[in-house]
Amino acid sequence: MSGPNTDYDPVEVTPLQPEEVEAARDAALAAIAAAGDLAELKQARLEHAGDRSPLALANREIGALPPQARKEAGQRIGQARGAVSQALAARQAELEAEHEERMLVDETVDVTLPTDRVPTGARHPLTTGAELIADIFVAMGWEVAEGPVIEAEWLNFDALNLGPDHPARTMQDTFWTDPADHGVVLRTHTSPVQARTMLSRTPPIYVVCPGRVFRTDEYDATHSPVFHQVEGLAIDEGITMAHLKGTLDHFAAAMFGEGISTRFRPSYFPFTEPSAEVDLVCFVCRGTGELDGASCRTCRGEGWIEWGGCGVVNPRVLTACGVDAQRYTGFAFGMGIDRTLMFRHGIEDLRELFEGDVRFTTAFGTEL
Amino acid sequence: MKTPVSWIREYVDLPDGVTTEDLTRRLTALGLKLEAIESTGADITGPLVIGRVLTMQPEPQKNGKTINWCTVDVGAANGTGEPQGIVCGAHNFAPGDLVVVVLPGGVLPGGFEISARKTYGHVSAGMICSARELGLGEDHDGIIVLPADAGEPGADAFDVLGLGEEVIEFEINPDRAYALSVRGVAREAALAYGAPYRDPAARSVPAPNGEGYPVVIDDPAGCPVFVARTVSGFDPAAPTPDWMARRLQQAGMRPISLAVDVTNYVMLETGRPIHGYDGDKLQGPIRVRRARAGERLTTLDGVDRSLSAGPAGDLVVTDDSGIIGLGGVMGGETTELSESTTTIVVEAAHWDAVAMFRTGKRHKISSEAGKRNERGADPAITPAAADRVVELLTTHGGGTAEPGVTVVGTAPARPTITIGYDLPALITGMAIDAATTVANLEAVGCVLVKADTTLTATPPPWRPDLNDPFDLVEEVARIVGYDQVPSVLPREAAGRGLTREQRLRRRVGRTLAGAGCVEVISFPFVGDAAFEALGLAADDPRRRTVRLANPLSSEEPSYTTTLLPGLLRAAARNLGRGASGVSLFETGTVAFPVDRGPAPIYGVDWRPTADEVAKLFEALPDQPLHLAVVLAGERERAGWWGPGRESGWSDAIALVRRLGAELGVGVDVAAATRTPWHPGRCAQLGVGGEVLGHAGELHPKVCQAFGLPQRSAALEIDLDTLMRQAREVTPGPDFSTYPLAKEDVALVVDRSVTAAEVGAALREGAGDLLESIRLFDVYTGEQVGTGRKSLAFALRFRAPDRTLTEEETAAARDAAVALAAERTGAVQRS
Ligand SMILES: [Zn+2]
């Protein structure tokens, strides 16, 4: 700085005293703090940080001060304006946050209101049950084979060692299509699918056959003229009853839980020799026959549940279906899907499966 | 087969301490499955004692009945030794008779507690029992009068009545006919415990001679052995001994008369059905042959039967008078045993099992004898069984055995079976050595010839089921025990997973469930009533069905051609149970008849040729897989979001479109007329030029007939066709990221023009720059004129390689509108 400020007008220019700067700052900070909402803060900003605010005006006068006074005044006013602008920003953020919060609170809805505008669909447990079974076997490398429900008598009976004069043929009460001597029946089991598979493929064969079957049974809580079976067939070199047992144990554990195994009892089926009935360890009482001190209802206190039939494929069947019985052996098994689901899910009356009541079906969802 | 345990124990010495539960467990493990253990009188608790009637005083009552005021000696059983005063309503006894008395404190079947009570002016301290009150039969004509030697008054009556005896009921599989006898069951029990066994059929019998009743067999294949013995001087009034009657009842048979009861008893004991003829009514020699054309017989159940002739026809027994019986199945009326029979000719014959099965099936006769004959009885014990009958008849009926013994024919020879010693181990996976194989086959009665590596077995005559090597494997294995079979997973082949069709079916089901539909499974049987309700015309192809020869109900005699009846009924059932709306679907086979002749029946000794297999398949009806949906009542619920919505025609069509989108096929929709849909609200659905099926609103009359709300909608499509058209591999989509240009156009057309027609013209006219087109509004009203409608489409344009200019977009839009105008007469609305 050289020479005096000739423009200096001691009347016009009254540089702010430090006390006045502080007072203006304090007034600004107080107004900012007092602003209750964003509109009040805007007003405070205008009054205390706007172009006409005391600090802004004071700032403008710094240039008119004598050089020796400029630095000090500049610092003082700068600090004051900095404090004000900081306070404004802080309060702005505070009020914005408060505003947003209040707005969100205002937008609160009752989230417990119903949302069932479109009703829920479901798939039938017999469908999803068959899929569950199929998936267990597919995971073991088996395939799922299917065939028609209206079937040739030869495939349903003769090919399976159930000749026309076989007493066991009366065990299965058959629906015949008209005329009855045309050799066409509603299949009484899914075994003809096994025959079809053997006729069309060469071993090794590992197939599981779920499907709908028919018997002329009266319709009641445990019998139905229409029901569902799953059968399995394995044909390979060196197949034994032990493989049958291993497969069914695996199936039982996958279907009913770890530790649920099977037992065999000698039985008779024309399709197999040796033949066995398969019982399942009761998965409810885990074989003890007791539940909470009472006799288990699922297995009637037996500890075992009758599950199905099985055995080593009769070589006569292999021969009729074109499989080399000298080279290959096989095993087969079969059980009712309806019955399996009834005890797996505690369904008391078989007819519930066929009534089509949506309350029954929706309980099972889309997968078992 | 019901078998008293005491009877089994007559032939086998079971180890000490073996309970009935133990026995049944072991027998079940051998293949005689336990059905039930019954114990007669298990629900009776004492005191039940023998009493001697001392006095009886008839006292007429006001109600017309006469009661007897009795005093009965019950020994010390009543604690006092004094006679017991009892009121009894029966009259079939006299002072001095031994009767059965239940004293106060006893409980009879049904929880009937006995106490001293005042009745008819007396205090009746107990009850004199009838057979029915004790649960011993239906005989309620009077009280039980015991034989004079039954026991002392006061003695326990349980044993005398055979109460408390356990009877095992077995389920006998068709291959184990030998177990349809106590002889066979006891043999298995002996096998189970390695216990000593006495064969009830092992008895010395008189040698055949020429003096017996003359018998001629014309058909030795049908009747290989016929034994005849004669008892004369038989007392037809002789009663059946109590023990025999009791065992017959325990086995589930009704005692009839001594002569009949003896034949049944010996059948139960040996498994050998026996027939008795009234010897005085027989005329000339007995002859066995097949029936001839036109022959008839009235069997002893009173049914007049037309017999089947020919080499596979019915086997008949004749004498000079004609046919007197259906051999092995049922006798005739003319020579039936009666209350005047004094001469009995006893037949123990072996019959061909297949012939027995056919005759039983043909004439619908199911008898105890037939059941055993058709499964195969022991042909070797015919002389022993006849001899046993003669013994029991003469012992209890007072007659004499005639010395004549007729035996015609011989038991058929058994085939031999050769197996390797290791076959049981190879087939079962169990560690079964040669010694075990030999021991077990011998234990079931096989006679073995042993070579170095193989054995040749001759099965015993009572095991006609043993014919093949694997039959022997089962015999060996069941004695080793099926619980010994190890659990081993096979080494599976590499599977290919689910087939494409199997995966597609799952997708269809999940898609429909996702759209709010619930799957149902109904019976596929149908009848005219359902077709009428659907309004199908008389010549509708869906009325041409695969009919059942033996339907469960004559109302529904066919396999269905449409899934709709079952589905519509299920919908109505749900609504009837209070549902406000239902969306149901079903996938299932339907069947359409073909006239390609019968399905052949081939032999089973070799595989049919490929042509023969093809003939089997050809004869079967067409069985496509259908999918049907019914939508009835509320489809969307009302709620806080706004009003609900009823199902309608568009919901049904939307579901098919949604399935098409899921399976990657475009579904063509065209207006159609088809029952059971509303004629103006039915769409024919197509994929790839094939008809898929129909969807839309049901005809009002159909809704009414099935009890569904008006405007209910339905669809039925051929799922096989849809799945066949399903996209195999979805190509990755290729799309542009340049800016989108939007143009909306409103076109006024005649009301008969469809949205699909206008849309197709716009699409074609717009050219390659068109990315998508969507109809977003339909307007009818004054502004567009009567008989006309305005369709508003949103067109979206985009180029693969550049930003479109306004001019390009406008040109494409104008081209689209121009083509729509040309094709459909559309006028753009300003
Ligand atoms: Zn249990």
Side-chain angles (χ1 to χ4, degrees):
Chain A
M1 307 299 155
S2 59
N5 182 356
T6 50
D7 294 339
Y8 187 71
D9 177 356
V11 178
E12 253 187 75
V13 181
T14 32
L16 282 175
Q17 294 309 303
E19 311 83 69
E20 288 173 297
V21 172
E22 276 169 30
R25 181 198 65 195
D26 291 348
L29 293 181
I32 290 166
D37 57 28
L38 287 167
E40 282 174 28
L41 187 65
K42 195 177 171 189
Q43 187 59 35
R45 182 192 304 274
L46 210 67
E47 281 170 21
H48 297 282
D51 288 349
R52 309 295 308 164
S53 65
L55 285 173
L57 292 173
N59 192 51
R60 213 176 299 154
E61 284 164 13
I62 292 172
L65 287 179
Q68 65 273 32
R70 278 187 204 161
K71 188 180 178 189
E72 196 198 332
Q75 262 176 8
R76 196 181 307 124
I77 293 169
Q79 275 171 7
R81 293 185 79 193
V84 169
S85 108
Q86 233 170 41
L88 270 172
R91 186 63 184 149
Q92 175 79 24
E94 223 172 86
L95 287 173
E96 273 177 6
E98 268 176 36
H99 173 76
E100 191 177 53
E101 204 174 321
R102 201 163 43 245
M103 197 178 73
L104 293 180
V105 168
D106 286 349
E107 285 176 4
T108 299
V109 296
D110 179 359
V111 296
T112 69
L113 285 172
T115 56
D116 55 348
R117 188 167 186 158
V118 179
T120 311
R123 292 198 299 152
H124 200 283
L126 282 171
T127 305
T128 52
E131 288 177 3
L132 172 63
I133 293 167
D135 288 345
I136 291 169
F137 281 92
V138 167
M140 287 194 277
W142 293 46
E143 291 176 16
V144 180
E146 290 162 311
V149 290
I150 304 179
E151 185 57 286
E153 178 185 352
W154 188 83
L155 287 164
N156 191 74
F157 290 122
D158 301 64
L160 305 170
N161 197 32
L162 272 152
D165 295 317
H166 203 296
R169 214 145 144 165
T170 55
M171 283 160 61
Q172 300 184 352
D173 298 318
T174 310
F175 282 111
W176 297 83
T177 67
D178 191 43
D181 60 1
H182 269 207
V184 177
V185 301
L186 304 196
R187 67 181 180 192
T188 57
H189 44 197
T190 49
S191 311
V193 181
Q194 301 188 23
R196 283 169 173 264
T197 305
M198 286 186 272
L199 285 167
S200 63
R201 295 172 61 161
T202 50
I205 291 171
Y206 292 89
V207 292
V208 68
C209 320
R212 172 180 282 205
V213 300
F214 303 84
R215 308 251 174 109
T216 56
D217 283 334
E218 288 297 332
Y219 191 36
D220 62 30
T222 53
H223 298 85
S224 168
V226 181
F227 59 105
H228 299 77
Q229 267 192 345
V230 60
E231 295 190 16
L233 173 73
I235 296 179
D236 207 339
E237 289 174 349
I239 286 287
T240 72
M241 265 180 109
H243 295 125
L244 170 60
K245 181 81 165 62
T247 302
L248 289 173
D249 281 343
H250 182 84
F251 179 22
M255 192 83 186
F256 295 98
E258 219 43 60
I260 301 302
S261 58
T262 63
R263 79 169 174 194
F264 287 172
R265 283 181 288 111
S267 189
Y268 172 76
F269 306 105
F271 186 74
T272 51
E273 185 78 28
S275 301
E277 302 264 358
V278 198
D279 296 341
L280 183 72
V281 170
C282 176
F283 60 96
V284 175
C285 63
R286 302 198 74 84
T288 60
E290 280 181 21
L291 200 65
D292 305 328
S295 178
C296 173
R297 284 182 62 201
T298 305
C299 62
R300 295 194 194 84
E302 301 274 328
W304 294 90
I305 298 168
E306 287 182 31
W307 198 19
C310 67
V312 175
V313 179
N314 194 316
R316 288 172 185 262
V317 174
L318 296 181
T319 302
C321 296
V323 174
D324 180 355
Q326 295 302 312
R327 179 171 168 197
Y328 296 104
T329 50
F331 69 72
F333 60 85
M335 54 273 299
I337 300 177
D338 318 56
R339 222 182 88 72
T340 301
L341 294 184
M342 280 177 80
F343 57 71
R344 188 174 189 260
H345 298 274
I347 300 164
E348 303 274 335
D349 193 324
L350 178 64
R351 288 170 291 199
E352 289 179 4
L353 291 164
F354 303 108
E355 283 206 322
D357 194 311
V358 296
R359 292 168 299 175
F360 174 81
T361 311
T362 45
F364 296 94
T366 57
E367 293 281 337
L368 270 196
Chain B
M1 174 74 193
K2 289 173 149 187
T3 318
V5 174
S6 65
W7 204 348
I8 298 171
R9 284 179 180 268
E10 250 178 55
Y11 310 133
V12 57
D13 299 329
L14 296 178
D16 290 342
V18 170
T19 65
T20 301
E21 283 71 27
D22 290 336
L23 177 63
T24 55
R25 202 172 304 124
R26 296 262 194 129
L27 289 175
T28 297
L30 277 176
L32 304 191
K33 194 193 160 209
L34 172 67
E35 190 80 357
I37 300 176
E38 287 172 13
S39 179
T40 46
D43 43 3
I44 299 175
T45 50
L48 186 73
V49 298
I50 297 173
R52 186 183 302 282
V53 179
L54 299 176
T55 63
M56 56 190 290
Q57 181 64 45
E59 296 182 357
Q61 301 295 315
K62 276 186 228 137
N63 62 8
K65 270 167 70 175
T66 299
I67 59 108
N68 288 302
W69 169 239
C70 310
T71 56
V72 185
D73 175 9
V74 293
N78 57 2
T80 65
E82 293 299 314
Q84 196 82 357
I86 300 175
V87 170
C88 182
H91 303 279
N92 65 323
F93 61 104
D97 280 351
L98 290 183
V99 295
V100 180
V101 178
V102 59
L103 295 171
V107 180
L108 295 186
F112 182 36
E113 289 176 30
I114 305 299
S115 57
R117 63 192 180 97
K118 206 152 190 259
T119 178
Y120 296 112
H122 298 281
V123 173
S124 182
M127 193 167 97
I128 303 176
C129 302
S130 72
R132 193 161 78 177
E133 283 154 353
L134 295 174
L136 292 177
E138 287 306 302
D139 186 5
H140 200 42
D141 291 344
I143 53 120
I144 299 171
V145 177
L146 295 170
D149 59 353
E152 289 304 312
D156 193 281
F158 277 83
D159 284 350
V160 176
L161 294 170
L163 292 174
E165 195 184 336
E166 287 173 308
V167 176
I168 309 173
E169 183 174 4
F170 296 104
E171 184 188 316
I172 305 296
N173 285 316
D175 61 331
R176 303 205 178 274
Y178 65 97
L180 292 171
S181 66
V182 186
R183 178 191 189 222
V185 172
R187 191 190 300 280
E188 294 282 294
L191 193 60
Y193 290 94
Y197 171 69
R198 285 176 300 281
D199 184 352
R203 56 191 293 131
S204 57
V205 295
N209 52 46
E211 280 115 72
Y213 200 91
V215 173
V216 182
I217 297 186
D218 292 340
D219 193 327
C223 179
V225 191
F226 196 116
V227 174
R229 296 283 299 275
T230 306
V231 170
S232 58
F234 179 77
D235 173 10
T240 301
D242 286 338
W243 60 266
M244 186 184 290
R246 198 157 61 234
R247 280 188 166 172
L248 289 172
Q249 279 176 330
Q250 286 169 333
M253 299 189 83
R254 200 162 53 89
I256 292 163
S257 67
L258 176 61
V260 174
D261 293 348
V262 164
T263 61
N264 284 335
Y265 185 84
V266 173
M267 176 180 72
L268 291 172
E269 182 177 87
T270 64
R272 184 73 264 176
I274 305 287
H275 188 69
Y277 299 91
D278 186 329
D280 295 327
K281 292 180 185 158
L282 280 174
Q283 300 171 27
I286 287 174
R287 207 175 185 101
V288 178
R289 61 168 170 83
R290 299 275 172 175
R292 295 173 189 137
E295 286 184 325
R296 307 185 73 86
L297 169 69
T298 302
T299 41
L300 49 77
D301 55 2
V303 179
D304 175 35
R305 300 175 188 276
S306 162
L307 304 181
S308 175
D314 297 324
L315 282 162
V316 294
V317 181
T318 68
D319 67 0
D320 289 349
S321 73
I323 298 174
I324 56 171
L326 269 176
V329 176
M330 193 176 272
E333 275 185 330
T334 56
T335 56
E336 191 180 353
L337 297 175
S338 71
E339 53 273 28
S340 61
T341 302
T342 56
T343 304
I344 299 171
V345 173
V346 177
E347 166 208 305
H350 185 68
W351 305 91
D352 175 56
V354 170
M356 295 298 101
F357 175 72
R358 286 181 179 163
T359 294
K361 197 168 115 175
R362 204 148 39 213
H363 297 289
K364 297 187 173 60
I365 298 174
S366 174
S367 66
E368 290 292 326
K371 189 162 85 183
R372 287 166 176 80
N373 279 328
E374 73 183 31
R375 295 181 189 195
D378 184 346
I381 60 164
T382 38
D387 192 56
R388 174 72 167 142
V389 171
V390 169
E391 178 195 11
L392 289 171
L393 286 176
T394 51
T395 303
H396 301 286
T400 50
E402 295 288 325
V405 176
T406 302
V407 177
V408 180
T410 49
R414 293 306 311 275
T416 58
I417 310 164
T418 300
I419 62 168
Y421 291 101
D422 58 350
L423 188 68
L426 287 176
I427 299 306
T428 62
M430 290 193 267
I432 298 172
D433 59 20
T436 306
T437 298
V438 167
N440 290 0
L441 288 178
E442 285 176 342
V444 297
C446 290
V447 176
L448 304 185
V449 176
K450 288 163 252 182
D452 283 351
T453 57
T454 61
L455 63 83
T456 298
T458 304
W462 61 86
R463 293 299 302 270
D465 58 308
L466 301 183
N467 298 298
D468 292 340
F470 281 31
D471 297 339
L472 299 186
V473 171
E474 181 174 270
E475 290 306 300
V476 174
R478 73 185 179 102
I479 298 173
V480 172
Y482 276 15
D483 55 339
Q484 300 299 307
V485 176
S487 187
V488 179
L489 276 173
R491 173 192 57 81
E492 284 90 359
R496 289 162 296 187
L498 296 178
T499 63
R500 171 178 151 75
E501 193 200 305
Q502 286 158 357
R503 283 184 288 113
L504 285 174
R505 279 207 307 267
R506 292 185 177 195
R507 272 170 89 175
V508 167
R510 290 199 186 112
T511 302
L512 290 167
C517 299
V518 177
E519 187 177 16
V520 302
I521 291 179
S522 22
F523 289 176
F525 305 125
V526 77
D528 283 342
F531 292 145
E532 293 301 323
L534 287 179
L536 300 191
D539 61 348
D540 191 295
R542 284 169 288 182
R543 280 188 185 261
R544 224 171 83 72
T545 58
V546 173
R547 291 181 71 88
L548 300 178
N550 55 334
L552 275 189
S553 155
S554 56
E555 309 283 303
E556 296 192 323
S558 295
Y559 203 95
T560 196
T561 51
T562 162
L563 299 177
L564 289 175
L567 208 50
L568 298 185
R569 277 195 290 262
R573 194 173 302 130
N574 277 284
L575 295 170
R577 290 177 182 180
S580 50
V582 280
S583 306
L584 303 179
F585 77 98
E586 175 161 17
T587 58
T589 300
V590 299
F592 297 99
V594 293
D595 287 323
R596 293 190 285 249
I601 305 285
Y602 302 121
V604 292
D605 295 334
W606 57 83
R607 182 197 190 281
T609 64
D611 280 352
E612 285 171 334
V613 172
K615 278 208 180 64
L616 284 178
F617 294 170
E618 263 173 31
L620 299 179
D622 288 337
Q623 300 172 60
L625 185 69
H626 272 202
L627 162 71
V629 179
V630 58
L631 306 157
E634 191 178 71
R635 172 76 174 145
E636 283 177 20
R637 297 197 180 103
W640 55 271
W641 50 76
R645 193 173 67 75
E646 297 285 300
S647 297
W649 60 270
S650 68
D651 294 302
I653 297 169
L655 284 173
V656 184
R657 285 200 167 110
R658 185 157 171 178
L659 283 177
E662 178 66 31
L663 270 55
V665 294
V667 174
D668 305 317
V669 178
T673 304
R674 183 176 169 89
T675 2
W677 284 276
H678 185 306
R681 297 183 170 194
C682 172
Q684 176 178 289
L685 308 156
V687 283
E690 285 188 89
V691 175
L692 196 57
H694 296 80
E697 184 178 309
L698 286 169
H699 195 287
K701 283 197 179 122
V702 174
C703 293
Q704 197 182 12
F706 283 93
L708 295 174
Q710 292 300 311
R711 311 257 176 249
S712 292
L715 69 91
E716 180 161 25
I717 62 169
D718 185 324
L719 205 50
D720 285 334
T721 303
L722 180 64
M723 293 192 297
R724 200 167 47 242
Q725 295 278 349
R727 187 169 53 208
E728 191 108 29
V729 176
T730 303
D734 194 8
F735 50 83
S736 161
T737 52
Y738 282 92
L740 178 71
K742 303 179 183 178
E743 290 281 347
D744 290 350
V745 296
L747 301 175
V748 177
V749 291
D750 193 82
R751 214 179 130 174
S752 63
V753 176
T754 66
E757 288 166 337
V758 180
L762 285 172
R763 183 182 295 277
E764 192 185 327
D768 290 344
L769 294 177
L770 184 74
E771 184 178 88
S772 71
I773 176 170
R774 185 168 177 277
L775 178 116
F776 66 90
D777 194 24
V778 179
Y779 173 79
T780 52
E782 277 178 31
Q783 292 179 37
V784 294
T786 320
R788 296 178 68 73
K789 63 185 173 187
S790 167
L791 305 174
F793 290 90
L795 307 178
R796 299 287 178 266
F797 297 96
R798 189 151 24 202
D801 54 351
R802 65 185 189 283
T803 302
L804 289 174
T805 63
E806 276 180 39
E807 292 74 28
E808 280 179 301
T809 309
R813 177 202 61 204
D814 292 345
V817 170
L819 193 62
E822 183 191 321
R823 291 265 174 87
T824 68
V827 178
Q828 191 163 11
R829 212 175 144 202
S830 46

